[in-house]
């Protein structure tokens, strides 16, 4: 299968196989007008199988926090004029805003819809995020 | 420091300072009687809590200040659908400091982000109640003359009891604290509190269902009420509510200097026969609550 190389845009590489579609939805890529490719189960020396996403647009403002939250092992390649000009390595973000929603019915966010849903990373090792308001553990 | 939302917002040095001020207020009340003249405290109680509200109000009056506010959501704009943020901004125009109780967890934090005056969390659902923890710390300090090197037993509802979780978190920052957890199986301390606080801080603890067997080890016994409102089933509440009732017989092997504490209100978990025992500290705790709130108001208003 051949997918054209992109000239100006972003390649999300080393996505754990099966996570590509989740990331696609979290990043709201179906809202974009530019060409977007989601490649599933590509062969990978490092992972065996991996997913890849290519976004053929230099305008797209990538939310690195979302990607870091879903899988900090993903690499972000920035392509300019057909050349890889930057490779970004991610880590779990300290703070997530409006990526997760608090499910605690006793949380203030359950009744005040306009409040941003903010979560803080409280345990990096076990990837635990807690609501900034009620400290309930995030259920992703 | 501008607000008090969580007890861990305060460093141990700041807590020591508040305790020192509270002790000075107890010794020299007249020195403080005009400190807040012309200042107003707004008590915004979106759910009723007579004890906490009156403690804040008494604290402000004893500092020479004034109080305004409401004692239930029905008599506030919240009944008309106003957001916590808007209430906080509005009240900031009328008062110099806010004490807020709200049934929703995190509401005082939201208020503190929007208010232009200091906000004190006076209890948010089952989440935080930092002034109760300050009250407990002042009581322990006054009874034990130290905030480290003692064994404290928590007895009763350790699962839903927010005062227990907060006090454990606060004490975890002091030296050589040993914790004994006494509860029925169904009301044991949640594993995240054990993992995030006790194990993380290397605090020695043991769990038991038998109060009398551990009584001789305790320097402080912190009793709690099994709270009806935390249960979905009345049957389960009734089954567990009488799990531990402290009676004079159960204190036979207790230390002479034991401090018996309780955040109140009690139902029947401490027999009234213990009220006259010199080791009973729970009504002193109520009084200490007023003094530590006075100290806190002074600190947040930056009154010298």
């Amino acid at each position: 299968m051949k997918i054209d190389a992109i000239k100006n845009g972003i390649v999300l590489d080393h996505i754990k196989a099966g996570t590509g579609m989740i990331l696609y939805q979290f990043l709201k890529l179906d809202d974009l007008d530019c060409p977007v490719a989601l490649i599933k189960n590509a062969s990978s020396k490092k992972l065996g199988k991996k997913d890849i996403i290519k976004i053929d647009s230099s305008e797209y403002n990538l939310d690195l926090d979302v990607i870091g939250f879903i899988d900090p092992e993903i690499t972000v390649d920035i392509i300019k004029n057909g050349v890889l000009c930057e490779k970004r390595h991610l880590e779990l973000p300290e703070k997530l805003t409006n990526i997760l929603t608090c499910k605690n019915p006793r949380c203030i966010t359950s009744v005040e819809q306009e409040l941003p849903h903010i979560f803080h990373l409280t345990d990096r090792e076990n990837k635990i995020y807690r609501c900034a308001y009620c400290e309930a553990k995030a259920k992703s | 420091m501008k607000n008090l939302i969580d007890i861990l917002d305060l460093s141990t040095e700041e807590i020591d300072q508040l305790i020192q001020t509270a002790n000075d207020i107890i010794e020299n009340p007249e020195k403080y009687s005009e400190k807040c003249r012309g200042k107003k405290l707004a008590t915004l109680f979106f759910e009723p809590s007579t004890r906490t509200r009156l403690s804040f109000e008494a604290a402000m009056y004893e500092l020479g200040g004034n109080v305004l506010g409401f004692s239930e959501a029905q008599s506030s704009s919240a009944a008309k659908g106003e957001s916590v943020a808007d209430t906080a901004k509005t009240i900031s125009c009328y008062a110099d400091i806010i004490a807020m109780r709200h049934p929703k967890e995190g509401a005082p934090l939201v208020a503190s982000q929007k208010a232009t005056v200091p906000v004190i969390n006076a209890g948010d659902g089952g989440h935080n109640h930092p002034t109760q923890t300050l009250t407990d710390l002042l009581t322990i300090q006054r009874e034990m003359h130290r905030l480290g090197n003692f064994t404290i037993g928590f007895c009763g509802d350790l699962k839903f009891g927010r005062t227990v979780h907060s006090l454990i978190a606060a004490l975890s920052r002091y030296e050589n604290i040993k914790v004994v957890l006494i509860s029925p199986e169904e009301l044991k301390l949640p594993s995240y509190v054990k993992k995030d606080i006790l194990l993380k801080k290397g605090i020695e603890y043991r769990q038991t269902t038998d109060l009398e067997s551990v009584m001789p080890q305790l320097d402080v016994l912190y009793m709690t009420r099994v709270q009806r409102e935390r249960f979905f089933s009345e049957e389960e509440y009734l089954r567990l509510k009488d799990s531990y009732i402290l009676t004079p017989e159960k204190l036979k092997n207790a230390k002479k200097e034991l401090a018996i504490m309780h955040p109140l209100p009690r139902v029947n978990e401490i027999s009234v026969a213990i009220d006259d025992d010199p080791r009973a500290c729970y009504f002193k705790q109520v009084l200490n609550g007023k003094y530590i709130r006075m100290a806190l108001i002074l600190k947040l208003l930056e009154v010298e």
Side-chain angles (χ1 to χ4, degrees):
Chain A
M1 189 169 66
K2 191 171 182 320
I3 307 254
D4 288 344
I6 56 175
K7 198 163 180 201
N8 288 298
I10 300 154
V11 177
L12 304 179
D13 202 356
H14 302 109
I15 305 170
K16 210 180 286 165
T19 328
M21 186 54 86
I22 300 170
L23 192 56
Y24 185 93
Q25 285 161 348
F26 258 103
L27 291 171
K28 300 188 173 78
L29 297 180
D30 48 354
D31 292 348
L32 295 183
D33 281 336
C34 65
V36 177
L38 164 62
I39 305 158
K40 289 182 69 177
N41 301 322
S43 64
S44 160
K45 277 184 200 159
K46 195 169 133 192
L47 302 168
K49 278 198 289 188
K50 65 177 179 180
D51 293 353
I52 302 168
I53 292 175
K54 293 187 175 190
I55 305 161
D56 195 0
S57 166
S58 53
E59 306 292 309
Y60 179 61
N61 198 3
L62 196 64
D63 188 341
L64 293 174
D65 284 350
V66 170
I67 306 170
F69 167 66
I70 291 187
D71 183 359
E73 298 301 313
I74 292 171
T75 48
V76 179
D77 299 338
I78 311 292
I79 315 289
K80 279 186 187 160
N81 298 318
V83 179
L84 170 66
C85 71
E86 193 184 343
K87 209 175 196 40
R88 288 191 194 160
H89 293 276
L90 305 172
E91 54 177 32
L92 280 177
E94 288 290 336
K95 183 178 168 187
L96 297 174
T97 304
N98 291 331
I99 293 171
L100 299 169
T101 51
C102 185
K103 305 281 195 311
N104 176 7
R106 297 180 302 276
C107 180
I108 185 68
T109 55
S110 70
V111 287
E112 298 215 352
Q113 317 299 334
E114 286 179 29
L115 286 172
H117 284 252
I118 300 169
F119 283 80
H120 294 293
L121 181 64
T122 57
D123 182 346
R124 185 171 288 277
E125 200 184 325
N126 297 302
K127 200 185 168 183
I128 291 173
Y129 281 87
R130 289 190 181 275
C131 173
Y133 306 99
C134 70
E135 295 179 86
K137 209 157 108 179
K139 290 176 187 153
S140 45
Chain B
M1 183 187 63
K2 185 174 169 281
N3 308 294
L4 178 62
I5 304 301
D6 184 318
I7 189 67
L8 298 181
D9 292 346
L10 296 168
S11 65
T12 50
E13 291 74 26
E14 285 172 319
I15 289 175
D16 288 347
Q17 219 179 61
L18 287 171
I19 288 176
Q20 211 181 322
T21 307
N23 281 325
D24 195 48
I25 294 170
I26 294 168
E27 297 298 317
N28 310 289
E30 68 294 337
K31 198 170 118 189
Y32 293 87
S33 62
E34 296 292 322
K35 289 276 185 190
C36 286
R37 176 69 58 209
K39 303 274 186 193
K40 283 170 287 190
L41 164 77
T43 51
L44 312 185
F45 276 57
F46 292 84
E47 66 175 3
S49 171
T50 315
R51 182 184 324 274
T52 307
R53 185 171 56 85
L54 294 187
S55 178
F56 270 109
E57 294 185 359
M60 194 55 171
Y61 285 129
E62 288 198 24
L63 290 168
N66 284 306
V67 174
L68 63 162
F70 51 85
S71 56
E72 54 179 328
Q74 286 315 310
S75 46
S76 79
S77 298
K80 297 175 191 159
E82 187 178 56
S83 68
V84 167
D86 282 2
T87 304
K89 280 192 236 176
T90 306
I91 303 300
S92 297
C93 303
Y94 306 142
D96 301 283
I97 184 165
I98 294 171
M100 176 187 276
R101 166 161 298 212
H102 201 287
K104 290 292 178 186
E105 300 172 5
L109 175 67
V110 173
S112 72
Q113 289 166 342
K114 298 295 175 185
T116 53
V117 299
V119 174
I120 302 170
N121 181 357
D124 56 340
H127 185 216
N128 280 321
H129 193 359
T131 58
Q132 178 64 50
T133 310
L134 283 175
T135 300
D136 297 340
L137 292 171
L138 174 63
T139 305
I140 293 172
Q141 193 278 333
R142 288 186 65 77
E143 296 302 314
M144 311 286 300
H145 308 291
R146 61 187 188 273
L147 276 175
N149 301 304
F150 62 83
T151 300
I152 180 166
F154 291 96
C155 179
D157 175 5
L158 310 189
K159 184 178 178 184
F160 298 109
R162 64 180 171 188
T163 54
V164 171
H165 305 172
S166 297
L167 185 53
I168 290 177
L171 287 174
S172 73
R173 301 189 292 180
Y174 295 91
E175 293 285 310
N176 195 24
I177 299 287
K178 292 188 182 111
V179 172
V180 184
L181 305 166
I182 310 134
S183 71
E185 283 296 323
E186 296 86 342
L187 296 175
K188 272 163 70 173
L189 193 74
S191 55
Y192 72 85
V193 180
K194 275 182 254 173
K195 188 168 164 271
D196 292 355
I197 304 171
L198 296 174
L199 291 171
K200 205 171 181 178
K201 296 282 178 74
I203 294 169
E204 194 181 315
Y205 76 95
R206 60 175 290 199
Q207 291 188 106
T208 178
T209 53
D210 182 6
L211 173 60
E212 281 170 278
S213 71
V214 293
M215 192 66 91
Q217 304 165 20
L218 306 180
D219 299 302
V220 178
L221 172 59
Y222 196 97
M223 296 293 294
T224 62
R225 171 173 64 101
V226 175
Q227 299 171 80
R228 184 190 290 265
E229 58 270 31
R230 305 282 177 228
F231 287 86
F232 289 114
S233 124
E234 179 73 6
E235 199 179 309
E236 201 181 354
Y237 164 71
L238 291 174
R239 187 168 62 80
L240 293 170
K241 84 175 179 57
D242 295 337
S243 296
Y244 298 99
I245 297 175
L246 191 63
T247 57
E249 293 71 49
K250 286 190 181 152
L251 283 175
K252 262 183 204 154
N253 295 321
K255 288 184 182 171
K256 282 200 173 76
E257 313 74 32
L258 173 73
I260 305 167
M261 296 171 61
H262 190 303
L264 301 182
R266 76 171 148 188
V267 181
N268 63 344
E269 57 278 5
I270 300 180
S271 155
V272 287
I274 291 178
D275 292 1
D276 295 328
D277 189 306
R279 292 171 290 188
C281 298
Y282 30 95
F283 288 108
K284 285 193 228 170
Q285 224 173 318
V286 177
L287 191 57
N288 289 337
K290 182 184 69 178
Y291 293 124
I292 201 76
R293 287 180 177 100
M294 289 170 77
L296 181 65
I297 291 168
L298 289 173
K299 184 175 173 65
L300 292 179
L301 287 177
E302 296 174 355
V303 175
E304 290 299 316

